Amino acid sequence: HLLPCVRLLRVENLVRRNRFLMRQAEIVDTNGASNAKLLFHGTRASRIDAIVANGLDPRASKANCVCGTGVYLAESAMTAVLYALGSSKPDAAPPREEINILLCRAELGVSATMSSVIDNARRAGVSAGSIHRPHERLENVLFDSARGYLVDHRDHPIHVVYDRDQINVEYVLKFAPER
């Protein structure tokens, strides 16, 4: 479904931006390079003001998400629309209300695959859904984020970031419902 973008809002939150830049500098110092990407996050209109003021909070993710308590970000705006609709199916029904998508700069740092995070958690006797902190050991390597796909759809890559300071919300895109 193609949805028309009816509004594009630039987000200017200097406190959140400075925290992002400080965290990014720490990751670059540790890893020797940045792994920043522009990614999308779908959310309800009722959450926009709080997110703009306070940033994306990993604790707000649904309980028992596939790769733990983190902020789930998508490489595709359409994938973020699916999250905003509460669906993981690419053929979900078109929205009946305005959809809000955030365009975020995310510093991914060292990124583990979701399957390795899940396998490592199982070996440790822990539910992957209980992962809630970055830098958990994965085969003796610390990681800052996880990457994978939306319900085994290779054309819907997603990333999970566990530290809110690794994400800077830059734009809010508002899409009109299909009529």
Side-chain angles (χ1 to χ4, degrees), residues 3-31:
L3 302 173
C5 183
V6 294
R7 257 179 116 185
L8 174 66
L9 306 168
R10 173 82 174 122
V11 175
E12 295 286 339
N13 183 329
L14 294 179
V15 171
R16 297 293 328 141
R17 179 162 175 72
N18 286 337
R19 287 184 178 175
F20 170 80
L21 292 172
M22 287 173 45
R23 181 69 181 112
Q24 185 176 43
E26 290 172 5
I27 288 174
V28 169
D29 284 348
T30 302
N31 303 329

Side-chain angles (χ1 to χ4, degrees), residues 2-176:
L2 291 176
L3 302 173
C5 183
V6 294
R7 257 179 116 185
L8 174 66
L9 306 168
R10 173 82 174 122
V11 175
E12 295 286 339
N13 183 329
L14 294 179
V15 171
R16 297 293 328 141
R17 179 162 175 72
N18 286 337
R19 287 184 178 175
F20 170 80
L21 292 172
M22 287 173 45
R23 181 69 181 112
Q24 185 176 43
E26 290 172 5
I27 288 174
V28 169
D29 284 348
T30 302
N31 303 329
S34 173
N35 185 14
K37 285 189 174 200
L38 283 174
L39 300 169
F40 299 93
H41 180 80
T43 192
R44 293 187 207 126
S46 62
R47 294 183 178 164
I48 293 295
D49 290 340
I51 291 170
V52 167
N54 304 310
L56 287 161
D57 188 345
R59 297 172 299 178
S61 66
K62 295 176 183 167
N64 264 344
C65 291
V66 68
C67 215
T69 303
V71 176
Y72 286 69
L73 301 161
E75 291 186 16
S76 157
M78 189 60 218
T79 305
V81 166
L82 294 174
Y83 271 98
L85 293 172
S87 175
S88 62
K89 297 183 174 98
D91 58 351
R96 293 194 171 95
E97 59 188 46
E98 183 178 85
I99 296 293
N100 292 270
I101 304 299
L102 306 173
L103 180 59
C104 308
R105 187 168 309 278
E107 177 55 64
L108 301 174
V110 173
S111 187
T113 64
M114 286 183 177
S115 59
S116 62
V117 171
I118 293 165
D119 290 346
N120 202 47
R122 282 187 188 134
R123 279 195 295 272
V126 176
S127 161
S130 69
I131 296 168
H132 63 277
R133 294 292 308 145
H135 311 301
E136 296 204 26
R137 291 209 172 266
L138 178 70
E139 297 173 7
N140 296 318
V141 176
L142 300 177
F143 65 94
D144 302 298
S145 65
R147 66 189 183 285
Y149 299 95
L150 177 65
V151 191
D152 297 326
H153 293 282
R154 294 265 176 215
D155 53 341
H156 290 275
I158 58 175
H159 301 267
V160 184
V161 176
Y162 302 96
D163 181 345
R164 73 186 314 153
D165 292 339
Q166 287 175 227
I167 305 165
N168 186 52
V169 178
E170 298 191 358
Y171 291 94
V172 177
L173 295 84
K174 294 182 176 278
F175 293 89

